[in-house]
Amino acid sequence: MEEDGIEEASNSSSARLLRKRSGGGDSSSRWVDGSEVDSESPPWSLLNDDENASTGHGPVRRRLVRKLKSVDSFDVEAMAISGSHSHHNKEVTIWQTLGLAFQTLGVVYGDMGTSPLYVFSDVFSKVHIQSDIDVLGALSLVIYTIALVPLAKYCFIVLKANDNGEGGTFALYSLICRYAKINLLPNHQQADERISSFRLKLPTPELERALKIKEKLEHNSFYKTLLLLLVLTGTSMIIGDGILTPAMSVMSAVSGLEGKIPGFNTGALVSVSVVILVGLFGIQRFGTSKVGLTFAPCLALWFFSLGSIGLYNLIKYDISVVKAINPAYIYFFFKKNSVKAWSALGGCVLCITGAEAMFADLGHFSVPSIQIAFSFVVFPCLLLAYLGQAAYLMKHPDSTSRIFYDSIPDGLFWPVFVIATAAAVIASQAMISASFSCIKQSMALGCFPRLKIIHTSRRFMGQIYIPVINWFLMIMCVAVVATFRSTTDIANAYGIAEVGVMIVSTTLVTIVMLLIWQTNIFLALCFPVVFGSIELLYLSAVLSKITEGGWLPLAFASFFLCVMYIWNFGSVLKYQSEVRGKISMDFMNELGSSLGTVRVPGIGLLYNELVHGIPSVLGQFLLDLPAIHSTLVFVCIKYVPVPVVSQDERFLFRRICPKDYHMFQCVARYGYKDVRKEDHRAFEQLLVESLEKFMRKEASELELESDVIDADFDRISVSPRSYSGELSVPLLQQGEGGELPPSVMGGIDEDPSLEYELSALREAKECGFTYLLGHGDVRAKKESFFLKKLVINYFYTFLRKNCRGGAATMRVPHMNIIQVGMTYMV
């Protein structure tokens, strides 16, 4: 295979230099502050390890290596925040679920909850009320839009497609990637499939069809790229909506003061809106939980006001509007108004803006809490609100421009106005939280530059805050408000991004149904036919407003799409270049255990992106440094397509080269929701403990293997010196009683080579740790075409230079870092 060819290539130029270096020459080292270090780039593995087969002892090793839990050694952060994933892994009480459901009112449903302020006003600006059919038809459209999209589709279907409690387009993509190797980022290892959250039971009735879909997706690069672009487009639209929603909500709220306060003109409207926007984004650093608890009471009062006023108007003016539940009025509405009715759909879709937040914000809450809040609070209150407004319009058809405020009972205008203004401001919180979630997921899956992420809750790890994105959204919102100075053009753009994300979700959930759920083919196709048709109809209506401001969300989405795809494209090329430049084992054997230089006591942690093999950056260190550490550990941080990797499944260990080289490889696996906030001292201590356990485990495996081989295959001999197997699951394998077999323990204790290696490790620990980091400069080859040179040499390089460096998150002392520069030609 082509990938295997890439994997086995060696860095011949480094080899030639090192051969000269081993005979003498000058060298130098460079000490830096770590601000430029690139050690946290997502690793892209092209390897499927078949070493057991090549040694000839595969059957024996498969009998010996049992699937037991490993001892977590590196994940200091997870130990410090024990039980951080409890809302998914532990049973949640009904009171906790109700508490979360209450918080969703302030975080998830603010945008949708404020839609009664402007839906009918926008609809009847396209279709003037001339008969009861106009009112009943528009009301029926609104009722069935809410019932079909947020309630039927999201509440009871899409939320079920969550990835272990995580929602959003990237969660669906990672779910699909676990069943079909469609990820363009080549980071799959066979051992990843043994992670408990990775393995999912597959039903059998539709297995053959699912396997055909899987094969088609895996073997067609066009489908892989198309699916990735679809996911990136959906994610970009959510982020773009995170810019438009606050601008629209705040300006709509403040515009209520026009006509009520003398002299409150457009300039004052813009100024007050900007101040509120700055304050809104300023409180995000306190976290979703605190924001939700602060906003939820206000939104609860708002929904109560909607329901109460709607019920009052329904009873007082015309209770007969309930007959709009009959969908025949939709047909009568289109028959009477034809093209105008189609144009009015652009206003009708506003009643479901923010619906995607139900899925995108799932990581902040839980499925039951979102379902309970919508089914028992949001949906009934919205239904009553629209019924009440329709009843009022039956008697006052000229009040369409101010239908919400005109329908408020006398004496309640100002209290409701204050609540409505606060609710409209709060509405932007839903898309801000959704933007944070999408950015976090895309970063973990290698599709967004690395940024600082702050986890604002020790109990619910989905609640995050990203400072750079927060301030970027704020600046863009302020720019939109200051530029347009009116809600008219923003309203024309409102909904385009939302409908686009819905279409992406429909497509991905359909693939999940066919590939993973293996739903009956008829039922699976009904989902895109029913919901896809509705969404495409709405999309055709909102796209007609592109020239009137609808270009704005498309511009924002295009910008983020370019950033994500360029980062993904450059990262894959960089990894492939690094794989091609790996140092071969033959050359390492030529260098010998001294590596052609002086080995001094100490432990060197060399961070790299390879999950297998010796990175070329080691050759650069051997050339630049006068000596190298007596113990070397190649540490690879790898993100797998699951939300969370449990502590006891976090790490894979391997010995590199014979024992006297004292070189090891560790792959630390994280899910896209996991937190990494290691303290370097605890990290180093647990690293040594991990290596000791690995060495003992390795010795016990070799002892057991030797016994079996001696008994069954006398003609086979195993040399401990050449052992290089990967203990992919257990670090400390135990018997049924919790201890290793006495015969094995006795043999291990008496093994002089093990005791020597353990004492050497302890001595190296006493001499200290050094973090060896490579700063990679990625350049396109001279023969590359112009567009590739432009993307790699300028855009991708700019993103790499301005993204967050790995040393910043490792929190290691600057004096413990040695960095060398590397140039990768792609």
Side-chain angles (χ1 to χ4, degrees):
M1 293 184 357
E2 182 181 351
E3 291 181 352
D4 293 334
I6 292 175
E7 178 187 310
E8 294 302 325
S10 64
N11 190 340
S12 58
S13 61
S14 295
R16 288 194 297 269
L17 290 171
L18 282 171
R19 287 191 180 97
K20 296 179 181 179
R21 169 71 179 85
S22 62
D26 296 331
S27 62
S28 62
S29 62
R30 183 160 71 98
W31 296 79
V32 299
D33 63 0
S35 61
E36 306 174 46
V37 177
D38 177 25
S39 65
E40 248 190 15
S41 298
W44 327 115
S45 166
L46 295 175
L47 171 71
N48 285 326
D49 184 17
D50 295 325
E51 281 192 0
N52 289 341
S54 64
T55 60
H57 304 151
V60 176
R61 180 154 305 283
R62 281 193 292 271
R63 289 213 308 256
L64 291 173
V65 180
R66 299 181 291 275
K67 288 187 178 180
L68 296 181
K69 292 184 177 181
S70 60
V71 178
D72 180 22
S73 52
F74 288 1
D75 193 11
V76 185
E77 159 272 320
M79 291 183 175
I81 311 178
S82 60
S84 61
H85 307 124
S86 59
H87 69 304
H88 294 310
N89 297 336
K90 296 182 180 180
E91 184 177 353
V92 180
T93 66
I94 183 62
W95 296 111
Q96 290 175 318
T97 300
L98 292 177
L100 285 176
F102 180 72
Q103 290 186 36
T104 63
L105 297 178
V107 177
V108 177
Y109 296 113
D111 193 8
M112 198 184 308
T114 55
S115 59
L117 288 171
Y118 42 74
V119 169
F120 277 151
S121 298
D122 195 277
V123 168
F124 292 116
S125 67
K126 309 293 190 303
V127 176
H128 299 291
I129 300 178
Q130 297 175 345
S131 66
D132 293 352
I133 294 297
D134 296 320
V135 176
L136 295 175
L139 175 61
S140 187
L141 269 174
V142 169
I143 291 175
Y144 280 98
T145 299
I146 299 176
L148 288 174
V149 179
L151 183 63
K153 177 188 172 182
Y154 279 95
C155 241
F156 297 106
I157 299 178
V158 175
L159 286 180
K160 298 295 184 181
N162 68 85
D163 187 12
N164 291 329
E166 190 72 11
T169 53
F170 260 104
L172 288 172
Y173 182 62
S174 70
L175 191 63
I176 296 171
C177 286
R178 297 217 293 274
Y179 285 88
K181 298 176 184 178
I182 58 172
N183 196 340
L184 292 179
L185 309 177
N187 63 345
H188 180 74
Q189 280 182 291
Q190 202 68 30
D192 295 338
E193 298 179 7
R194 294 193 288 268
I195 299 175
S196 58
S197 57
F198 198 106
R199 299 191 303 269
L200 296 175
K201 294 181 179 179
L202 294 176
T204 56
E206 308 291 337
L207 183 58
E208 183 178 354
R209 184 197 69 217
L211 291 176
K212 290 181 180 179
I213 296 174
K214 178 178 182 290
E215 183 179 2
K216 186 175 290 291
L217 289 174
E218 289 181 346
H219 293 87
N220 193 312
S221 59
F222 173 76
Y223 289 143
K224 291 181 181 180
T225 304
L226 181 63
L227 192 59
L228 177 63
L229 286 174
L230 185 69
V231 172
L232 295 182
T233 301
T235 305
S236 301
M237 287 185 172
I238 290 179
I239 301 171
D241 217 15
I243 297 172
L244 289 176
T245 300
M248 178 66 181
S249 300
V250 171
M251 288 198 73
S252 297
V254 179
S255 62
L257 297 177
E258 290 183 311
K260 294 294 182 181
I261 299 179
F264 193 87
N265 54 22
T266 302
L269 170 64
V270 172
S271 300
V272 175
S273 298
V274 168
V275 171
I276 294 177
L277 280 172
V278 172
L280 176 64
F281 283 99
I283 65 173
Q284 294 301 314
R285 63 189 181 91
F286 295 109
T288 304
S289 179
K290 296 181 180 64
V291 171
L293 287 174
T294 304
F295 287 170
C298 181
L299 263 295
L301 184 59
W302 166 249
F303 281 112
F304 175 77
S305 301
L306 285 179
S308 301
I309 294 173
L311 183 61
Y312 170 81
N313 289 332
L314 181 64
I315 297 173
K316 179 178 180 180
Y317 293 106
D318 192 348
I319 199 172
S320 67
V321 295
V322 296
K323 62 186 178 182
I325 295 176
N326 183 354
Y329 285 100
I330 298 177
Y331 168 75
F332 299 146
F333 181 71
F334 276 91
K335 182 179 179 180
K336 177 178 181 296
N337 298 288
S338 61
V339 177
K340 290 183 178 180
W342 172 76
S343 179
L345 288 177
C348 181
V349 76
L350 296 180
C351 70
I352 55 172
T353 54
E356 180 61 26
M358 296 170 64
F359 191 47
D361 284 339
L362 180 57
H364 296 252
F365 303 101
S366 65
V367 173
S369 64
I370 292 178
Q371 290 176 327
I372 289 172
F374 186 83
S375 301
F376 296 100
V377 178
V378 178
F379 182 63
C381 290
L382 289 178
L383 193 62
L384 287 173
Y386 288 117
L387 286 170
Q389 290 185 20
Y392 185 86
L393 287 174
M394 296 289 279
K395 302 296 183 183
H396 305 87
D398 297 330
S399 299
T400 54
S401 60
R402 286 179 51 87
I403 173 58
F404 178 79
Y405 289 111
D406 287 351
S407 64
I408 296 174
D410 295 338
L412 294 180
F413 175 83
W414 283 108
V416 173
F417 173 78
V418 172
I419 299 173
T421 302
V425 174
I426 294 169
S428 58
Q429 179 63 46
M431 296 315 301
I432 295 174
S433 300
S435 299
F436 291 160
S437 297
C438 290
I439 293 291
K440 170 66 167 64
Q441 294 173 13
S442 58
M443 284 170 56
L445 294 178
C447 293
F448 204 90
R450 299 179 302 277
L451 302 172
K452 181 180 181 180
I453 297 177
I454 298 174
H455 289 255
T456 58
S457 172
R458 297 175 67 90
R459 293 187 59 211
F460 302 105
M461 301 315 297
Q463 299 184 358
I464 59 175
Y465 165 67
I466 306 178
V468 172
I469 296 298
N470 184 69
W471 302 126
F472 176 81
L473 294 178
M474 184 195 74
I475 293 171
M476 290 296 101
C477 285
V478 170
V480 168
V481 170
T483 302
F484 286 91
R485 304 176 65 87
S486 168
T487 59
T488 304
D489 288 340
I490 302 178
N492 289 334
Y494 212 43
I496 291 182
E498 187 69 31
V499 177
V501 175
M502 290 178 182
I503 293 176
V504 171
S505 297
T506 300
T507 304
L508 295 178
V509 172
T510 302
I511 297 176
V512 169
M513 287 180 169
L514 295 172
L515 179 66
I516 302 173
W517 294 353
Q518 298 171 16
T519 309
N520 178 275
I521 188 69
F522 175 76
L523 295 177
L525 292 179
C526 282
F527 179 76
V529 168
V530 174
F531 297 107
S533 300
I534 296 172
E535 289 158 2
L536 287 174
L537 182 63
Y538 278 122
L539 183 64
S540 66
V542 295
L543 285 179
S544 64
K545 300 180 180 180
I546 284 186
T547 58
E548 302 172 13
W551 57 269
L552 193 61
L554 298 180
F556 284 132
S558 299
F559 169 76
F560 283 104
L561 176 62
C562 290
V563 169
M564 290 192 286
Y565 190 76
I566 288 173
W567 183 262
N568 177 271
F569 177 70
S571 298
V572 172
L573 291 180
K574 176 181 178 292
Y575 174 75
Q576 292 174 346
S577 175
E578 194 166 353
V579 170
R580 286 191 297 267
K582 287 196 306 182
I583 299 176
S584 68
M585 293 303 299
D586 291 339
F587 178 67
M588 294 300 297
N589 291 332
E590 289 181 24
L591 289 178
S593 60
S594 66
L595 300 181
T597 185
V598 179
R599 303 292 292 270
V600 296
I603 298 178
L605 303 181
L606 197 157
Y607 279 75
N608 69 106
E609 298 179 355
L610 298 179
V611 297
H612 179 68
I614 302 172
S616 58
V617 69
L618 174 64
Q620 196 66 39
F621 277 111
L622 294 177
L623 288 170
D624 290 352
L625 301 181
I628 200 69
H629 304 80
S630 59
T631 299
L632 285 176
V633 181
F634 300 98
V635 181
C636 170
I637 307 298
K638 173 182 176 179
Y639 287 91
V640 292
V642 295
V644 174
V645 177
S646 64
Q647 298 180 34
D648 56 359
E649 297 175 315
R650 179 82 68 199
F651 299 97
L652 304 177
F653 287 89
R654 174 193 299 276
R655 182 187 293 278
I656 300 178
C657 301
K659 275 191 175 183
D660 54 352
Y661 280 64
H662 303 293
M663 294 170 61
F664 305 88
Q665 190 165 47
C666 170
V667 179
R669 301 176 297 182
Y670 290 84
Y672 54 78
K673 282 183 61 183
D674 281 323
V675 192
R676 297 190 58 242
K677 295 168 64 177
E678 294 96 340
D679 172 77
H680 74 94
R681 293 186 180 86
F683 179 92
E684 295 163 359
Q685 175 65 32
L686 292 176
L687 170 63
V688 173
E689 294 176 3
S690 169
L691 284 177
E692 290 181 353
K693 292 172 183 177
F694 173 80
M695 293 173 185
R696 296 183 185 278
K697 173 61 184 171
E698 177 190 46
S700 68
E701 289 291 329
L702 290 173
E703 181 72 19
L704 289 172
E705 183 176 344
S706 177
D707 292 342
V708 175
I709 293 174
D710 291 341
D712 298 340
F713 311 104
D714 292 334
R715 62 184 177 85
I716 299 177
S717 62
V718 179
S719 172
R721 175 182 171 82
S722 63
Y723 179 82
S724 61
E726 176 179 350
L727 301 178
S728 60
V729 177
L731 281 181
L732 185 60
Q733 184 169 306
Q734 297 178 334
E736 293 181 0
E739 300 291 339
L740 290 169
S743 60
V744 175
M745 288 300 297
I748 295 173
D749 291 340
E750 297 172 1
D751 185 356
S753 64
L754 174 61
E755 291 303 322
Y756 171 77
E757 194 170 23
L758 290 175
S759 64
L761 177 63
R762 297 186 187 106
E763 180 185 356
K765 175 192 173 185
E766 294 299 324
C767 294
F769 289 76
T770 302
Y771 292 78
L772 308 175
L773 307 170
H775 172 61
D777 184 18
V778 183
R779 308 295 294 178
K781 296 178 181 178
K782 290 184 178 180
E783 61 271 19
S784 301
F785 53 87
F786 172 76
L787 183 59
K788 181 179 179 181
K789 289 182 179 179
L790 179 65
V791 169
I792 297 298
N793 295 347
Y794 295 96
F795 298 145
Y796 180 66
T797 300
F798 174 81
L799 292 175
R800 282 179 59 82
K801 288 182 178 179
N802 291 277
C803 72
R804 185 172 173 81
T809 53
M810 287 189 293
R811 298 184 178 183
V812 297
H814 294 166
M815 294 301 295
N816 285 29
I817 297 176
I818 301 179
Q819 178 183 358
V820 297
M822 292 287 296
T823 299
Y824 299 96
M825 303 303 297
V826 298

